[in-house]
Amino acid sequence: FQLYGYCYQDSNDIPDTLTTITELGSPLEMIQLLQTSWEDRFRICLSLVRLLHYLAHSPLGSVTLLDFRPRQFVIVDGELKVTDLDDASIEESSCTSNSDCFMEFPARNFTLPCSVEGRCQSMNEKRNLYNAYRFFFTYLLPHSAPSSLRPLLDKIVNATGECNKHGNDKYFLFYPSVNSEFTQKCVKSANTKYRRVPEAFIPDENYRCWPSYHHKGCLLSVFDINEAIEICDSYSQCKAFVLTNQTTWTGRQLVFFKMSSNHIVPDPDKITYVKVTD
């Protein structure tokens, strides 16, 4: 979380007062997140993985968030950031045997090895990892994920659920696979023909689809024109679509899908494709 400034004040009423000024973020609402595109939810999870990696290798040592829940995070420019560090700790639990390294959660318990130095090995890191799994990954990743990525997704989610820190490392390796899925998508040739209308837009004739980047219409991301045709052909109400000059964070192009092409207006930044009917 970006720190813009702080003010230290020592008064008689409240000694040792520290006020921080941080960037403004949006509260994290899990129900709203589940209604967004998988692409955006993956971005949030990826930012969480970066945070987990930093906490495990911070300059202070391994840091754990004792109150690791959605209310402790905010969304800033599409990425997840922690906003409350009051319950952060760098203390690794001391132990004399493995039984002292017991982590208890509502659905799972773990016993970690006790090191020769008398500290529970990687307890801070693994506590963060399992909390990320039970509060974020298990909800945001599998839901409506691309079918080609689901086998790898299952392995990663299961690894984090088993508190395997290598699951976190695999998540970094998984990122190129997502880019490959979204930027090298192979689509079979379409039978339906479309008439290309350059510098044109259909302002109305919207219908709703899910997930959509626009709450009153069907605005989806595509790799290329072939994927847009495939999507339009899959909706019975779709009779046309409009390519915009806007892209998502992965570089995919945003496209409006329309119910009709009765009213087309000039727009130099858009290209309209109209389904040709017999």
Side-chain angles (χ1 to χ4, degrees), residues 80-221:
L80 190 73
K81 296 193 177 185
V82 63
T83 184
D84 190 347
L85 295 174
D86 290 347
D87 296 307
S89 173
I90 60 173
E91 296 294 327
E92 292 277 16
S93 299
S94 59
C95 58
T96 57
S97 66
N98 291 351
S99 60
D100 296 328
C101 302
F102 183 71
M103 290 197 306
E104 184 176 8
F105 297 97
R108 284 292 305 273
N109 298 324
F110 300 93
T111 300
L112 305 180
C114 180
S115 69
V116 294
E117 293 83 10
R119 296 289 178 180
C120 296
Q121 292 184 12
S122 304
M123 178 169 278
N124 286 349
E125 180 179 1
K126 293 194 174 185
R127 181 184 288 113
N128 289 338
L129 184 60
Y130 188 77
N131 279 326
Y133 159 80
R134 70 189 185 109
F135 286 121
F136 292 96
F137 296 152
T138 190
Y139 295 109
L140 299 182
L141 279 178
H143 182 54
S144 69
S147 57
S148 61
L149 297 176
R150 285 174 186 167
L152 184 55
L153 265 177
D154 290 341
K155 292 181 180 178
I156 294 170
V157 173
N158 289 338
T160 56
E162 293 298 323
C163 224
N164 181 353
K165 67 178 182 179
H166 295 297
N168 194 17
D169 298 332
K170 290 178 181 178
Y171 202 90
F172 282 105
L173 299 176
F174 176 55
Y175 176 60
S177 299
V178 174
N179 276 347
S180 177
E181 166 68 17
F182 280 96
T183 61
Q184 300 179 23
K185 183 176 177 65
C186 295
V187 182
K188 62 182 179 181
S189 300
N191 294 323
T192 310
K193 294 182 179 181
Y194 287 80
R195 177 170 57 91
R196 184 176 185 271
V197 185
E199 299 185 353
F201 179 61
I202 303 173
D204 302 312
E205 305 297 341
N206 291 314
Y207 67 90
R208 293 183 179 181
C209 66
W210 186 90
S212 173
Y213 286 90
H214 193 281
H215 67 283
K216 290 186 178 179
C218 187
L219 179 63
L220 304 174
S221 69

